Amino acid sequence: ALSAADAGLLAQSWAPVFANSAANGDSFLVALFTQFPESANFFNDFKGKSLADIQASPKLRDVSSRIFARLNEFVSNAADAGKMGSMLQQFATEHAGFGVGSAQFQNVRSMFPGFVASLSAPAGDAAWNSLFGLIISALQSAGK
Ligand code: HEM
């Protein structure tokens, strides 16, 4: 889990992003697929599609809203070691089952502070780095 201080910084950085979660969730996925185009191929709905087609797809919102809802749970429970332990394990098992591993989340970790900054939300780079570090470790423990 994160320290209470880092969890607080995360909550401050996340609040304005999640306040407009539909549009910002879409922007997050588009930013990820722009910087790491191969990421899109993990999703059945996006595999082999151009970025323009993905942006026009009604599936974009379905996928981005699931991601943002789960990120919100991680941020809300970031300092709770018990909840984080079970959430991380479930998350890693689920994503490993989709063929997604630590490399994909190293990509997310590298672009997330820039994404937050692009929305003029408060920075929390070290805290985001720690949160995605927990996810990366959980995936590595799951063998991915
Ligand atoms: C599915 C969350 C990043 C690939 C899901 C689901 C959630 C989720 C909640 C739905 C699980 C279900 O309903 O069974 C997240 C969060 C992420 C993240 C919080 C943090 C940024 C990624 C990344 C990739 C990825 C970086 C791949 C590059 C997938 C795939 C599925 C999935 C392939 C299966 C369903 C589908 O094809 O839409 N994710 N995810 N996720 N995720 Fe992630």
Side-chain angles (χ1 to χ4, degrees):
L2 266 57
S3 67
D6 272 350
L9 291 168
L10 215 56
Q12 277 177 28
S13 179
W14 177 243
V17 179
F18 194 61
N20 190 8
S21 70
N24 291 341
D26 290 356
S27 298
F28 163 72
L29 264 189
V30 170
L32 179 69
F33 296 160
T34 301
Q35 292 177 59
F36 301 100
E38 72 284 4
S39 293
N41 291 325
F42 288 91
F43 295 87
N44 284 333
D45 292 325
F46 304 141
K47 195 176 171 62
K49 291 202 163 140
S50 70
L51 194 58
D53 283 353
I54 292 171
Q55 283 181 277
S57 167
K59 300 288 186 182
L60 179 64
R61 184 63 52 85
D62 295 346
V63 173
S64 77
S65 62
R66 284 201 295 264
I67 291 176
F68 259 37
R70 188 69 65 89
L71 270 179
N72 190 54
E73 286 182 44
F74 275 123
V75 171
S76 305
N77 294 298
D80 183 328
K83 280 195 180 150
M84 285 298 277
S86 52
M87 284 182 60
L88 285 163
Q89 193 180 20
Q90 191 214 338
F91 188 86
T93 306
E94 181 179 84
H95 280 81
F98 301 137
V100 179
S102 47
Q104 283 69 49
F105 284 89
Q106 277 157 8
N107 292 341
V108 173
R109 177 163 69 175
S110 75
M111 56 73 77
F112 207 84
F115 164 68
V116 165
S118 76
L119 301 173
S120 304
D125 296 19
W128 286 113
N129 206 55
S130 299
L131 177 67
F132 288 113
L134 293 176
I135 289 175
I136 290 163
S137 296
L139 279 156
Q140 286 168 340
S141 298
K144 286 292 284 181

